[in-house]
Amino acid sequence: MKNYFDLSGKVALVTGASSGLGVQFAKALAEQGADIAICARRVEKLETVKSEIEALGVKCFTHKCDVLNVDEIRGMVKAVEEHYGKIDILVNNAGVGDATGAADLTDETWRNVLGTNLDAVFYVAREVGNVMLKNGYGKIINIGSLHSEVVMPMNTWPVPAYAAAKGGVKMLTKALAVEWARKGITVNAIGPAYFGSEMTNDILESGGFDSVAQAYCPMGRAGKEGELNGALLYFASDASSYTTGQILFVDGGWTAM
Ligand code: NDP
């Protein structure tokens, strides 16, 4: 039976793969046969993830990178290209959460959230995009959010900086998709609702999340580990050869109402 999601012979770079969804994404791509490159700031965590990925029978290259530093991004992408000779798949995943209300939001927090969640998504896409343009092939998957489309309901928690950045990711995805559509590169985004991770565990375990999910999420719950993999593998593989500029919300129906 044909495996539409086979990634044998491909090289995938996942940013922010020292914890959370990035680790899950890197492993899901490895399970389909892709060789992996991972980056983040915490190198000791990257080394643990590298061993777990290599145990799946593929190669894994690690590189320390702070995505708030454009020179580090350039160096990281160059190192991955030198190591593997190409980059076929980019998962633009590194990000930070923030739930500070607008009136209390400092310039520093605003810049950190926008810098990590939007500026860096562009810088990494630009650098990797130039590698993909040379090869005439690429699959870029930006990690947006439920908050690329909607904010949290009143009387829950505010997300002005986070939503501004993730909304920007949605439109950046469309802009890059159109620009590179005839160059062999697809650019799509995933918009997850809430999934357990270092970023969200406090919210999910606070007790308040369950009642919000009951009221606003048709499925009435957070996402579970593995429930993003179908969307990821669709966008990462040639199964999505005629799909570009899309954001797929994996949100239990949240954005449907
Ligand atoms: P985690 O906090 O577990 O992971 C965030 C990752 O981003 C870490 O690997 C971290 O690595 C990396 N990172 C953060 N800042 C930087 C930086 N300056 N330079 C390099 N790497 C950085 O959170 P999640 O796994 O939940 O988040 C992953 C992505 O998914 C984010 O873009 C987030 O917005 C998005 N998302 C998550 C949802 C969820 O419910 N969990 C829902 C919707 C979207 P390190 O600290 O080692 O540098």
Side-chain angles (χ1 to χ4, degrees):
M1 193 169 62
K2 181 172 166 65
N3 175 2
Y4 287 94
F5 307 105
D6 181 29
L7 299 177
S8 308
K10 304 291 190 203
V11 171
L13 166 62
V14 184
T15 68
S18 59
S19 66
L21 303 185
V23 178
Q24 295 173 33
F25 293 146
K27 287 182 181 172
L29 296 165
E31 281 168 357
Q32 290 300 322
D35 288 324
I36 305 294
I38 50 174
C39 67
R41 294 165 300 185
R42 291 171 293 174
V43 277
E44 66 297 342
K45 284 193 175 278
L46 288 179
E47 289 309 311
T48 306
V49 177
K50 174 183 160 86
S51 319
E52 293 168 4
I53 287 173
E54 286 174 341
L56 297 169
V58 299
K59 295 179 196 147
C60 186
F61 176 73
T62 63
H63 197 90
K64 184 173 189 290
C65 178
D66 182 344
V67 297
L68 287 168
N69 183 320
V70 188
D71 289 336
E72 288 195 22
I73 290 174
R74 282 201 191 94
M76 180 273 292
V77 173
K78 189 160 180 275
V80 175
E81 188 189 13
E82 280 175 4
H83 186 80
Y84 283 122
K86 63 174 184 172
I87 303 172
D88 300 299
I89 300 160
L90 164 65
V91 185
N92 224 335
N93 166 78
V96 289
D98 186 65
T100 314
D104 300 317
L105 192 53
T106 63
D107 299 359
E108 189 186 18
T109 300
W110 174 266
R111 277 280 17 114
N112 184 47
V113 175
L114 271 288
T116 312
N117 293 1
L118 181 57
D119 296 0
V121 170
F122 170 67
Y123 295 140
V124 175
R126 181 186 64 194
E127 297 307 313
V128 174
N130 275 310
V131 176
M132 292 173 166
L133 286 167
K134 272 191 285 181
N135 298 330
Y137 182 89
K139 311 288 286 179
I140 296 178
I141 302 123
N142 295 326
I143 305 306
S145 161
L146 172 68
H147 304 311
S148 297
E149 190 73 10
V150 293
V151 296
M152 289 305 292
M154 283 184 283
N155 304 319
T156 58
W157 52 92
V159 285
Y162 189 81
K166 293 295 187 177
V169 168
K170 180 176 79 171
M171 291 311 296
L172 176 63
T173 299
K174 291 177 190 245
L176 297 179
V178 170
E179 193 173 332
W180 292 339
R182 297 187 187 189
K183 309 282 186 189
I185 301 173
T186 64
V187 188
N188 292 289
I190 299 174
Y194 282 71
F195 287 73
S197 73
E198 287 180 12
M199 184 185 293
T200 56
N201 281 341
D202 285 351
I203 287 175
L204 294 183
E205 289 160 12
S206 68
F209 178 81
D210 288 343
S211 55
V212 171
Q214 282 300 323
Y216 296 100
C217 176
M219 291 192 187
R221 63 170 176 84
K224 296 177 190 162
E225 184 166 346
E227 287 187 317
L228 293 166
N229 289 354
L232 174 81
L233 295 177
Y234 173 63
F235 288 143
S237 67
D238 290 331
S240 59
S241 55
Y242 194 52
T243 305
T244 197
Q246 302 302 308
I247 180 163
L248 177 52
F249 291 99
V250 182
D251 63 356
W254 200 308
T255 49
M257 60 174 204

